[in-house]
Amino acid sequence: MELFDRMLELSGQGFYCAQILMILALESEGKEAPDLVRAVSGLNGGLGFSGNVCGALTGGCCLLGYFCGKGEAEEMEAPEASRVIGEFVEWFRAFAEESYGGFDCNHILENDPSNKMRRCPEIVEGVFGKCMELLSEHGLVTP
């Protein structure tokens, strides 16, 4: 199944941007973690559907953290973690500000919920691709 089709399927199941990104990250490793998917739901719609910081931005940061962050006491965060996340945030901010004038849901959707279906899938697909590209470039995942 193509990435875009899988994203639309997940959206049709009631998942939102941050959750879709986390599900895609988990699926790339053949895993499921409903508790983790549930946890990132607070990022959807710009932090609890408040219209603030885009859930694709925060979800992308979570996706990157999933691959390069610390998860257990004995585990070490990847040395590149902050750099990778910083590069992603810079990329997203530049993209969103150029395209929509800001990186929060209100700017991206121009306060028009009907823009969600036109803009969000493209943004989430771009975020997933950029995150995987950065992880690959830094040797944190194999393409």
Side-chain angles (χ1 to χ4, degrees):
M1 180 179 286
E2 293 291 321
L3 175 64
F4 194 78
D5 292 335
R6 178 64 177 138
M7 289 173 29
L8 291 179
E9 177 183 42
L10 291 168
S11 177
Q13 293 172 359
F15 293 105
Y16 291 89
C17 45
Q19 292 171 298
I20 291 169
L21 288 165
M22 188 53 62
I23 291 168
L24 294 173
L26 289 161
E27 287 179 351
S28 76
E29 295 195 316
K31 297 180 180 178
E32 291 182 11
D35 291 341
L36 180 55
V37 173
R38 189 177 303 107
V40 300
S41 71
L43 305 175
N44 295 333
L47 306 175
F49 297 97
S50 65
N52 288 309
V53 180
C54 175
L57 170 58
T58 55
C61 290
C62 290
L63 183 156
L64 294 169
Y66 171 77
F67 285 103
C68 62
K70 178 181 176 73
E72 299 180 65
E74 309 79 37
E75 191 176 24
M76 297 297 292
E77 178 178 87
E80 306 89 345
S82 293
R83 182 171 174 213
V84 169
I85 292 170
E87 287 178 26
F88 167 68
V89 171
E90 286 179 31
W91 170 83
F92 187 90
R93 287 183 78 151
F95 157 75
E97 286 176 354
E98 180 180 315
S99 301
Y100 308 109
F103 57 93
D104 58 71
C105 290
N106 290 329
H107 277 96
I108 292 169
L109 299 179
E110 295 178 340
N111 293 309
D112 180 356
S114 69
N115 281 330
K116 186 182 294 185
M117 289 307 295
R118 287 189 293 275
R119 295 180 181 175
C120 295
E122 178 181 296
I123 292 169
V124 173
E125 183 178 37
V127 164
F128 185 77
K130 184 63 175 182
C131 287
M132 298 311 287
E133 174 188 310
L134 287 168
L135 289 166
S136 180
E137 284 175 8
H138 290 275
L140 297 164
V141 297
T142 51

